[in-house]
Amino acid sequence: MGKLLFMIRKEFLQIRRDRAMLRIIFAVPLAQLLVLGFAANLDLENVTVAILDQDRTAQSRQLSEAVLQSQPFVPGPTVANRQELQQALVMGRAEATLWIPRGYARDLAAGLPSPVGLSINGTNSASGGKAGSYLARIIQEQGRLQAEAAGAPAAATAPPLRAHTRFLYNPELVSRYFMVPGILVILVTVISALLTSMAVVREKEIGTLEQLLVTPLRTGHLIAGKIIPFAILSYATLALATMEAVLVFHVPIAGSLGLLAVAMAAYLLVTLGGGLLASTVSATQQQAMFTAWFFLIFGILMSGFFYPIANMPHWAQLLTLLNPMRYIMAIVRGILLKGAGLADIGPDLLRLLAIGLATFTVAVARFQKRTG
């Protein structure tokens, strides 16, 4: 036990003397969270709408004004015909287009449906779907009000069915509540995996690894002495980043922080083991960094951080089953936003633990083989 404590103390002293590493451990993650938390915004803002009003009546102008006075939408380019309207969408000068045909007001007064044309740039399915839903709702509501004002027949002006929509876990649909917990996972991954791989390889580069191997220290002491400090620093980063998420971004914490810490321990088996494994196949710190970074990028893109896993192709969904970041993303978001308990996160936690034990076992075996 004394030998292990000596190794841990030695590692912390080495980290403390390395000011560049201290900046990486504490300053960089907090700055990344602050920048990415604001930059990773999926809310609809400044959606340009090009409108072609071929009816040119008071009712058609009211419809145009109702659209452009709504919060997310701003006026797009002026167009003279439907060809220019389509071109504005194709060229990216407008994210949405609205075509109001001739006879719009006349049809409303007669209680007849008017074929208003609405086109949305669907390149980004999330924002495009939201914009289309908002616009359709505005147009339907404005059409109903105008039909009633014009004295249309009762059958046409009967109020439509009203859907009482309720959004759980994020009633205001604030995208940062969804993005910031994911950023917390990424920060812990960088600290634990990337720095662990670089720290072990650094011992090789400066020649101290061979010196440690000839001491009475066992391989287990050496591995634990390298891993435990970065596990502690990962928890420190998680605590600081969570505090920043709550104080700066007002992310709610609906669940248990103790349960979050337990789940993170299972995830650290993956990241610390992965960092150790990367160090065994790397000769320099640069190689270790790029090896860990390669798997980090893969993990992020296949974790549901940017895109819902359900939207991915079937083969990609199967591939995500091997991605530990998928499970920890769901666990962290579930605990923070939904107040998920152990029974709720149990299946994901078991899968994460299985991947972590497998990764850590392989990493330790390979490290022993390389140093044996």
Side-chain angles (χ1 to χ4, degrees):
M1 188 64 183
K3 297 176 181 178
L4 176 59
L5 293 176
F6 174 81
M7 272 297 301
I8 294 174
R9 180 174 178 272
K10 173 258 180 191
E11 194 66 26
F12 271 113
L13 288 174
Q14 191 168 341
I15 294 173
R16 189 183 68 180
R17 293 167 182 169
D18 191 343
R19 296 186 179 274
M21 180 172 287
L22 287 175
R23 287 194 294 269
I24 293 175
I25 292 172
F26 291 108
V28 173
L30 295 179
Q32 284 178 330
L33 177 62
L34 189 62
V35 173
L36 293 176
F38 285 112
N41 188 351
L42 300 180
D43 295 332
L44 281 181
E45 293 181 0
N46 300 323
V47 178
T48 54
V49 182
I51 299 177
L52 176 60
D53 182 3
Q54 293 185 322
D55 194 47
R56 299 186 180 277
T57 60
Q59 288 81 1
S60 64
R61 285 192 293 271
Q62 288 176 3
L63 177 60
S64 299
E65 291 171 0
V67 169
L68 297 179
Q69 289 175 1
S70 299
Q71 173 64 34
F73 305 110
V74 295
T78 302
V79 294
N81 51 56
R82 295 189 65 179
Q83 183 178 359
E84 292 183 9
L85 191 70
Q86 179 68 20
Q87 195 67 17
L89 197 65
V90 173
M91 298 299 294
R93 293 184 286 117
E95 294 298 317
T97 62
L98 174 62
W99 169 58
I100 306 175
R102 294 183 180 89
Y104 168 80
R106 182 187 66 244
D107 291 342
L108 280 178
L112 300 174
S114 182
V116 175
L118 179 63
S119 299
I120 307 293
N121 181 3
T123 303
N124 187 324
S125 60
S127 60
K130 287 183 180 180
S133 177
Y134 290 175
L135 282 170
R137 191 166 58 215
I138 294 170
I139 292 170
Q140 290 174 359
E141 180 63 16
Q142 189 66 23
R144 185 183 67 82
L145 293 175
Q146 291 180 356
E148 291 178 348
T157 60
L161 294 175
R162 299 188 63 183
H164 298 277
T165 305
R166 182 185 178 195
F167 295 97
L168 300 177
Y169 313 127
N170 186 4
E172 293 82 16
L173 297 179
V174 180
S175 64
R176 292 191 185 97
Y177 291 175
F178 180 79
M179 299 298 291
V180 170
I183 297 173
L184 294 180
V185 173
I186 294 174
L187 295 180
V188 172
T189 305
V190 170
I191 292 296
S192 55
L194 199 61
L195 295 185
T196 299
S197 64
M198 294 176 64
V200 176
V201 176
R202 185 180 65 243
E203 297 281 6
K204 296 180 184 179
E205 287 186 320
I206 63 179
T208 55
L209 183 61
E210 289 77 7
Q211 297 176 9
L212 291 173
L213 292 175
V214 298
T215 64
L217 289 172
R218 296 181 179 178
T219 304
H221 292 146
L222 182 60
I223 294 174
K226 279 295 180 183
I227 286 178
I228 291 177
F230 289 106
I232 295 173
L233 291 173
S234 297
Y235 273 110
T237 299
L238 176 64
L240 289 174
T242 302
M243 188 182 305
E244 183 178 347
V246 173
L247 297 178
V248 178
F249 301 107
H250 310 292
V251 175
I253 299 181
S256 169
L257 291 178
L259 184 58
L260 177 63
V262 171
M264 196 57 68
Y267 183 62
L268 286 177
L269 283 176
V270 178
T271 56
L272 294 173
L276 184 63
L277 187 60
S279 71
T280 63
V281 298
S282 306
T284 64
Q285 294 186 63
Q286 289 79 8
Q287 291 178 5
M289 180 181 66
F290 283 115
T291 301
W293 187 252
F294 171 80
F295 289 101
L296 177 61
I297 293 298
F298 168 82
I300 293 173
L301 293 178
M302 303 295 288
S303 67
F305 177 68
F306 291 109
Y307 321 103
I309 293 176
N311 290 358
M312 297 179 183
H314 182 66
W315 64 266
Q317 294 184 34
L318 295 177
L319 200 58
T320 63
L321 296 176
L322 301 176
N323 182 14
M325 195 176 286
R326 164 187 177 163
Y327 304 115
I328 192 63
M329 284 276 186
I331 289 172
V332 171
R333 285 168 173 164
I335 292 175
L336 295 183
L337 302 180
K338 301 179 182 179
L342 182 59
D344 302 312
I345 68 171
D348 283 343
L349 186 58
L350 288 176
R351 297 186 186 99
L352 184 62
L353 185 60
I355 296 174
L357 290 174
T359 303
F360 198 80
T361 301
V362 172
V364 170
R366 185 170 178 83
F367 186 84
Q368 290 176 334
K369 182 179 179 181
R370 291 292 299 271
T371 57

